Amino acid sequence: ASENEGFRSTALDVVKSAFTGALNDEDFVRALYASLVGAMVAASKEEELTQSVLDVVTKAVSQALADERFVSELRGAVKDTLADGDLYKAGARGMVSAAFGFGQANEIQKSVRKG
């Protein structure tokens, strides 16, 4: 039993490390979001599948949040992401584009940079 527990613990550490590292990869995060959205759309069309997905996600999130090391790594990844000023600039550009239209957003950005 201890051999299985050691293997399980090692495998879990490898998966956690890989997942935490992947969160810092922008291409991976984009692909993950796209996959999640696609899965949610498909799941939302079938009640049994929807319930199954919710059960799995709920259990996975609960277990992950109970692991202090994982939460610490996740917190660090989120903190690093939020510390990136370019993220805020991109968000502001997106909001201006959505509010005023793409062409006007470029003109507003140019005037802000000059002023």
Side-chain angles (χ1 to χ4, degrees):
S2 64
E3 288 179 18
N4 289 340
E5 185 61 33
F7 175 76
R8 181 184 169 283
S9 177
T10 300
L12 189 58
D13 286 344
V14 168
V15 170
K16 287 178 188 177
S17 178
F19 185 74
T20 303
L23 288 176
N24 292 318
D25 181 347
E26 290 180 30
D27 291 334
F28 172 79
V29 172
R30 280 191 204 103
L32 178 63
Y33 283 146
S35 295
L36 287 173
V37 169
M40 284 186 216
V41 169
S44 69
K45 295 177 182 176
E46 295 184 33
E47 185 61 34
E48 185 176 338
L49 182 56
T50 300
Q51 189 59 48
S52 295
V53 169
L54 287 174
D55 291 345
V56 169
V57 169
T58 300
K59 185 174 181 179
V61 169
S62 296
Q63 289 177 346
L65 292 176
D67 185 327
E68 291 180 29
R69 191 170 123 207
F70 177 77
V71 172
S72 176
E73 292 290 332
L74 183 60
R75 185 178 294 127
V78 170
K79 182 180 175 185
D80 290 346
T81 300
L82 292 176
D84 182 5
D86 291 337
L87 179 70
Y88 294 107
K89 292 175 189 174
R93 281 192 298 270
M95 289 175 51
V96 170
S97 293
F100 299 109
F102 185 71
Q104 291 177 348
N106 286 335
E107 293 303 318
I108 292 169
Q109 289 172 5
K110 289 177 186 175
S111 67
V112 169
R113 287 182 188 142
K114 289 179 185 176

